[in-house]
Amino acid sequence: MTHKLYAAPLSLYSGKARAYLDWKGVDYEEILSSGDVYKDIIVPKVGRPVIPVLDTDGGQTIQDTTCIIDHFEETVGGPSIYPDTPKQRLAALLLETFGDEWLVIPAMHYRWNYNEEWVYGEFGATAAPEASKEEQLAIGKERGANFKGFCPILGINPDTVPAIEASYEALLADLDAHFSVHDYLLGSRPSIGDYGLIGPLYAHLYRDPASGDIMKRLAPRVAAWVERMVDVKAPLSGEFLSDDEVPQTLIPVLERMMGEQMPFLQRTANMLDAWAESNEGVEIPRAVGMADFTVEGVTGQRIAPPFSLWMLQRALDYYAGLSEAEKIVADTLLSSIAGADSFQQFQQGRKLAFVDFKLVLA
């Protein structure tokens, strides 16, 4: 029996899990998450329609890409995607949070404002792979409408779109400069940070045709990195840079995270604390309200998801657990990043755990 990955080509987080499993050399079968698979397998196991989901060869069910990755990091030998030095490990964890939880904004914008008709066909082909093209399009429009409807609550609207595009194009330029020197974020081996970025940058922003054309035109080296990540030529290969080096070319990317995402996450943390005070024992909602966010000087509102705090908590916990000597080293990185005090001084409040496929207060 091999591992089974329930996933789909158009799924952001499926792209992250698949790229990792291929690099790690995991023997798995990918099963398309059709409507029947959701109804008969995923929802009974997990409790809600979500992908990717992985059934291990030992019968364990794992949901969430980070949990899938960490399972195989613990159980499969060979090189790790987690650097073991302070600056690189911290940078990688931060960039995973940035990719997983922030780049969903441009990913959803470009999908639904540049690729809408195409993606309806993709939704239909996933839900009903045996149906005709016409039937798939009709099914896709019905299913896809739910996802398109997320755009306004993600902060994507006519007022914010120009800023979202400007920020994304600036990020592409920064990453293109970085990948002109390095194959991956931290050397010749992908890190957990690469896997955070690959979900949105592959499944939406490269694979969707119109946004893929934009990436290839504006940032061909980013497109080449995407291709390296998803078409793995040499599993378990490569090295991180020596001497715990975090390339200077990554500093602008980390500064973008600190300037855009961290203030929003602090607002989300404050809102979760307020919610928790009067909701002890209640299941944590997908969002604890709407919070301001600012991109390229333009402020909008979007849902404040506690899950983003669980992702950030990985970096916060790592930083807090460093020895005094290691923290001094990590602080030399943070001191070079404008706005990093928003991470160093982050007020975490209530901590979170991911248990039985859902967030709980720790």
Side-chain angles (χ1 to χ4, degrees), residues 13-208:
Y13 296 105
S14 295
K16 176 185 177 185
R18 185 187 305 110
Y20 168 78
L21 293 172
D22 289 346
W23 183 83
K24 198 69 175 179
V26 174
D27 180 20
Y28 72 99
E29 174 191 4
E30 182 168 340
I31 298 169
L32 185 67
S33 56
S34 66
D36 287 342
V37 167
Y38 272 116
K39 178 171 64 73
D40 298 337
I41 299 174
I42 295 174
V43 173
K45 285 177 180 286
V46 179
R48 64 187 190 281
V50 62
I51 53 173
V53 172
L54 186 132
D55 281 343
T56 71
D57 58 4
Q60 180 182 359
T61 297
I62 308 172
Q63 190 276 311
D64 184 73
T65 51
T66 295
C67 296
I68 291 169
I69 287 171
D70 285 355
H71 170 79
F72 288 106
E73 285 294 294
E74 292 166 8
T75 59
V76 176
S80 173
I81 63 165
Y82 287 99
D84 57 13
T85 52
K87 291 191 292 185
Q88 290 183 347
R89 179 72 163 258
L90 182 59
L93 289 169
L94 288 170
L95 290 168
E96 184 195 20
T97 303
F98 181 57
D100 261 17
E101 298 299 311
W102 200 244
L103 295 189
V104 69
I105 300 173
M108 288 290 284
H109 160 59
Y110 282 92
R111 168 159 286 181
W112 292 108
N113 291 317
Y114 283 78
N115 299 278
E116 181 176 356
E117 288 302 311
W118 176 84
V119 86
Y120 285 143
E122 289 286 289
F123 269 102
T126 300
E130 304 303 321
S132 70
K133 293 292 184 187
E134 292 77 15
E135 291 169 326
Q136 287 178 348
L137 185 60
I139 294 167
K141 285 187 174 181
E142 181 182 343
R143 300 209 170 197
N146 295 328
F147 287 88
K148 184 181 181 183
F150 291 144
C151 287
I153 63 172
L154 290 173
I156 302 164
N157 60 57
D159 293 332
T160 60
V161 158
I164 291 168
E165 293 193 354
S167 176
Y168 172 63
E169 290 184 10
L171 173 66
L172 282 183
D174 291 336
L175 287 172
D176 204 60
H178 174 80
F179 291 128
S180 71
V181 182
H182 303 283
D183 283 348
Y184 300 99
L185 292 178
L186 296 169
S188 58
R189 181 195 302 179
S191 71
I192 189 65
D194 291 271
Y195 290 104
L197 295 180
I198 196 60
L201 287 173
Y202 165 64
H204 286 225
L205 293 163
Y206 173 93
R207 188 174 178 274
D208 290 11

